[in-house]
Amino acid sequence: MCGIVGHVGPKNSVEVVIEGLKRLEYRGYDSAGVSFINQKDELEVFKKEGKLQNLIDLLGTKKYISRSCIGHTRWATHGEVNDVNSHPHSANPISVVQNGIIENFATLKQELEGGGYKFESQTDTEVFLALIVTTMNSGKTFFEAVSSSFQRIDGNSAFVILNGDSGEILAIKRGAPLVCGTHDTHSQALVSSDPYALAGVVDRLYFPEDNVLISISGANKELIRFYELDGTPDCKRYLSKKQEMTLETSEKGKYEHFMLKEIYEQPGLVRALTQYYFTGDGVKHLEAVASLKPERVHVAACGTAHYAGMVVKDYIERINAIPCEVEFASEFRYRDPLLAKKDLGLFISQSGETADTLAAQELCQKKQLHTLSLVNVEGSTLFRNCDSNLLIRAGVEIGVASTKAFTQMALTGRLLAGSMAGQFKTDEGKKSVADKFSLLSERIDQLLARVGEIKDIAERIYQRNGFFFTGRGQYFSVALEGALKLKEIAYVHAEGYASGELKHGPIALIDDDMVNIAIVGPELYEKTVSNLQEIKARRGVIVTLGPAGDKILEEMSDYYIALDFSGLEELAPLYVNVANQLLAYYTAKFKGTDIDKPRNLAKSVTVE
Ligand code: M6R
């Protein structure tokens, strides 16, 4: 959700923080702000509604120099989107930014107002600020005030707090992401909600556990110090790792949008995945999951990761003959699901920070299930909390609409299923899957080379009223994912349906302004074609993603995207999905939306 960056060091902190916020804008872009200590040792705060550029414009051409600065990009939870509700929230000398929600904020606010505190904003963050300030006014130190205030709040949050008097930054979290890092030679330290902000700036990362108080200050030889909440120093409750992310991986290059770049990265990533797991560093991880013999598998994930979970379910049930259930993590966590110790809890996530997915993992862990993640971000909370992990190796994904992560999640799930079934004990077993991945990568390459066709179709349909994505069997999950992609970036009404379900209700909506994106694979062909006839009879606009050379289907359709399904078998949905990704991308482009930062969304949903 919100992006947080804090910096202390000899480099100009304001510039470092703004640079970090630029990278984190994908986490929230309702408003942005910074606070820092200026050269006269005064606390200065700048904040502005809207995209980060508005804040940069507000800062203007004047060069602000500071050795200690915190900043924020907001995804609003409490309080409308405006300048006042933007972070940081400040009451001299304290300034606070938050990512998360204070669940008991109303009670605390009432209490603080009763004591005479005057609130300026509608945010829950200001309640935390007020707690710190009133505690300091009662004679406590900055550290004591932050610690005791943090212990009074309920809910999952990460806070970064600047003390304008000392320049010290304190940071703390519960159930929300926080990472800090240092650069030895540059003697600077940063804290952020996302390691991506730290790429190329620090060489060592620290992922603190919940309730560890982190102090970042230039006043001590050690730039970062970790404490327990009671003030005990030298707390070791953190994971430390070398920073490996490079800046090049996070640039758009020749592409207009990150989303497009990420779509085009897929063929290479697909090939690299088998190399990693069959001959590279991933061998031991894939071998480790081979010994898992669960009686059932429970998959919990959200959004695109959930739809990838549906693909993985197909693999596990078919290859392992184990029952596998897939649920939205937000439902799973509150449903009291039937879980047995011999079951496997499988959690799929790009960020590894999705609050609902983390809660589902915690639930399974409590019930003593083995928990396994298919995750992109190494070192993320999900990665750290699970008993074992298979990295999906998608690289940094910046586009808020997830593309390459979907493909990599599903393929890593295919490798998991194969490993549990003992398929990779022999070189032939590995080769047969590696060849199939390689064929998929080739087919995606061929499809990307025909992007013009898809762009033309998008131009003809982008003004239509609504879109139904339909698919049967293994294509149902990608019908759902295709609809999600289109609605989130093109802001049009789109739904995914199992082809056979349309006539049970949704067909009432079909008219000549409704588009049916029909996925027709070689499997269950006749039945799917009959469903298309039903749409045609009601004058719906039909865009078919179907087998190449199928004249009957081509004639029946208004627009036809010819696909070569041969040899792909269970990987075919991932191939079709790339066509859907391109269709969504170009529809959004013709509509003129902000593709990489669609309205109301954030890349990583760290609140419930
Ligand atoms: O980081 P995660 O994979 O756990 O995120 C899950 C969803 O929030 C995410 O897939 C979301 O639906 C994307 N906007 C989809 O494009």
Side-chain angles (χ1 to χ4, degrees):
M1 304 255 87
C2 307
I4 296 180
V5 189
H7 174 263
V8 168
K11 271 193 176 178
N12 183 5
S13 294
V14 182
E15 276 171 15
V16 177
V17 167
I18 291 284
E19 201 43 52
L21 292 181
K22 280 186 190 160
R23 297 197 212 154
L24 293 197
E25 220 189 347
Y26 73 141
R27 296 188 71 107
Y29 29 85
D30 293 340
S31 58
V34 285
S35 59
F36 54 88
I37 304 166
N38 67 18
Q39 287 177 301
K40 290 188 210 147
D41 283 338
E42 297 156 346
L43 181 72
E44 283 208 66
V45 185
F46 291 85
K47 46 196 206 172
K48 196 73 196 149
E49 176 187 341
K51 299 254 165 75
L52 180 62
Q53 190 55 45
N54 296 358
L55 172 71
I56 296 171
D57 293 344
L58 180 71
L59 287 164
T61 46
K62 184 171 167 197
K63 196 165 168 68
Y64 294 95
I65 310 256
S66 174
R67 302 281 167 259
S68 201
C69 176
I70 62 174
H72 189 263
T73 58
R74 181 172 186 234
W75 186 86
T77 59
H78 292 59
E80 63 184 74
V81 177
N82 60 28
D83 291 352
V84 177
N85 288 333
S86 309
H87 298 217
H89 292 279
S90 311
N92 213 4
I94 304 301
S95 192
V96 178
V97 294
Q98 177 197 8
N99 170 27
I101 288 176
I102 301 176
E103 286 171 358
N104 56 338
F105 94 102
T107 331
L108 291 171
K109 189 168 183 175
Q110 218 174 21
E111 176 195 312
L112 287 155
E113 279 174 332
Y117 196 93
K118 296 267 177 289
F119 283 88
E120 287 174 4
S121 76
Q122 303 158 310
T123 63
D124 51 346
T125 313
E126 202 185 354
V127 169
F128 187 60
L129 170 74
L131 282 172
I132 298 172
V133 171
T134 47
T135 315
M136 283 175 79
N137 288 345
S138 73
K140 300 285 182 201
T141 64
F142 176 46
F143 185 101
E144 288 163 348
V146 170
S147 170
S148 67
S149 303
F150 186 72
Q151 291 176 67
R152 293 206 58 200
I153 60 165
D154 297 335
N156 293 336
S157 277
F159 295 97
V160 174
I161 312 113
L162 170 67
N163 182 345
D165 281 343
S166 62
E168 181 183 15
I169 290 175
L170 289 179
I172 188 153
K173 66 134 194 155
R174 184 191 305 127
L178 198 65
V179 56
C180 39
T182 48
H183 196 299
D184 283 345
T185 39
H186 299 160
S187 62
Q188 61 179 341
L190 281 100
V191 61
S192 178
S193 50
D194 191 327
Y196 180 45
L198 276 49
V201 193
V202 299
D203 47 24
R204 178 140 298 274
L205 294 175
Y206 302 90
F207 295 91
E209 289 180 14
D210 283 356
N211 305 323
V212 172
L213 235 165
I214 304 142
S215 161
I216 302 177
S217 95
N220 196 292
K221 256 190 140 188
E222 280 170 276
L223 285 163
I224 301 188
R225 280 161 294 149
F226 299 91
Y227 296 88
E228 296 292 350
L229 279 177
D230 63 4
T232 310
D234 298 327
C235 161
K236 293 281 180 285
R237 291 193 300 115
Y238 58 78
L239 173 98
S240 163
K241 91 185 242 311
K242 207 168 162 289
Q243 161 75 288
E244 274 155 1
M245 204 184 285
T246 60
L247 272 180
E248 304 83 75
T249 54
S250 51
E251 298 297 333
K252 261 191 290 197
K254 62 177 182 185
Y255 297 95
E256 192 179 344
H257 295 99
F258 279 109
M259 181 180 175
L260 193 62
K261 176 191 175 215
E262 287 158 5
I263 291 173
Y264 273 81
E265 278 172 6
Q266 292 175 106
L269 290 170
V270 170
R271 258 179 251 123
L273 195 67
T274 41
Q275 280 159 16
Y276 176 77
Y277 279 116
F278 290 159
T279 55
D281 291 348
V283 171
K284 53 184 179 294
H285 302 297
L286 201 57
E287 277 172 8
V289 294
S291 58
L292 293 172
K293 298 284 171 254
E295 285 185 356
R296 294 186 93 77
V297 180
H298 304 271
V299 179
C302 302
T304 288
H306 174 264
Y307 298 138
M310 291 173 67
V311 180
V312 175
K313 170 192 161 83
D314 277 352
Y315 296 154
I316 290 178
E317 294 201 331
R318 202 146 28 84
I319 298 169
N320 307 95
I322 300 170
C324 177
E325 284 146 24
V326 190
E327 271 190 77
F328 290 116
S330 54
E331 290 297 314
F332 181 88
R333 61 180 297 190
Y334 290 119
R335 203 179 53 81
D336 198 12
L338 293 174
L339 302 170
K341 280 186 199 169
K342 286 187 176 164
D343 296 351
L344 170 69
L346 181 62
F347 308 93
I348 310 182
S349 177
Q350 189 285 126
S351 62
E353 301 293 353
T354 300
D356 287 318
T357 309
L358 293 177
Q361 186 275 339
E362 199 183 330
L363 176 67
C364 287
Q365 202 156 48
K366 268 194 196 131
K367 301 260 175 158
Q368 297 176 305
L369 276 76
H370 183 92
T371 61
L372 167 68
S373 82
L374 306 183
V375 68
N376 198 29
V377 181
E378 192 177 1
S380 60
T381 309
L382 186 66
F383 179 91
R384 297 197 309 275
N385 291 355
C386 278
D387 299 308
S388 47
N389 302 284
L390 290 178
L391 290 171
I392 65 164
R393 309 274 301 169
V396 184
E397 192 180 63
I398 306 288
V400 167
S402 188
T403 52
K404 58 178 180 172
F406 175 89
T407 307
Q408 297 295 102
M409 284 165 179
L411 290 176
T412 311
R414 171 64 185 84
L415 294 178
L416 166 69
S419 177
M420 289 198 300
Q423 283 183 344
F424 309 136
K425 282 185 185 152
T426 60
D427 285 346
E428 295 78 61
K430 285 184 191 160
K431 186 175 178 310
S432 116
V433 169
D435 286 351
K436 220 184 260 181
F437 277 38
S438 167
L439 183 66
L440 171 67
S441 142
E442 229 171 80
R443 292 285 159 78
I444 298 176
D445 258 333
Q446 287 160 5
L447 187 60
L448 292 173
R450 292 164 49 205
V451 65
E453 282 174 48
I454 299 178
K455 191 174 170 184
D456 285 350
I457 296 174
E459 190 172 10
R460 283 154 206 266
I461 61 172
Y462 80 96
Q463 284 166 320
R464 300 286 176 160
N465 200 21
F467 297 78
F468 280 171
F469 286 71
T470 52
R472 265 179 190 271
Q474 62 173 353
Y475 302 102
F476 174 44
S477 46
V478 288
L480 294 168
E481 168 60 8
L484 175 67
K485 219 76 313 167
L486 188 65
K487 70 182 123 189
E488 63 181 340
I489 60 167
Y491 314 153
V492 292
H493 186 231
E495 294 300 333
Y497 284 104
S499 309
E501 269 300 299
L502 224 55
K503 56 183 168 295
H504 296 287
I507 202 164
L509 292 172
I510 298 287
D511 62 15
D512 57 7
D513 214 14
M514 180 66 82
V515 181
N516 178 206
I517 315 280
I519 305 167
V520 187
E523 312 85 358
L524 300 167
Y525 175 84
E526 274 85 15
K527 296 208 184 304
T528 317
V529 172
S530 309
N531 299 138
L532 267 189
Q533 295 282 17
E534 293 155 10
I535 310 274
K536 182 92 184 150
R538 287 158 185 87
R539 294 182 293 119
V541 180
I542 299 176
V543 178
T544 305
L545 286 78
D550 189 323
K551 291 288 164 227
I552 301 170
L553 211 48
E554 211 169 315
E555 255 168 48
M556 199 193 292
S557 312
D558 297 278
Y559 307 101
Y560 199 76
I561 302 172
L563 299 173
D564 182 359
F565 288 91
S566 59
L568 285 175
E569 297 162 351
E570 80 270 20
L571 303 190
L574 311 179
Y575 166 53
V576 177
N577 190 53
V578 176
N580 281 343
Q581 291 172 350
L582 289 169
L583 204 58
Y585 175 80
Y586 284 106
T587 306
K589 196 158 147 47
F590 285 115
K591 291 196 80 107
T593 60
D594 190 345
I595 293 179
D596 280 336
K597 298 188 195 83
R599 70 181 180 204
N600 303 339
L601 301 185
K603 181 71 183 161
S604 165
V605 183
T606 54
V607 295
E608 278 184 49

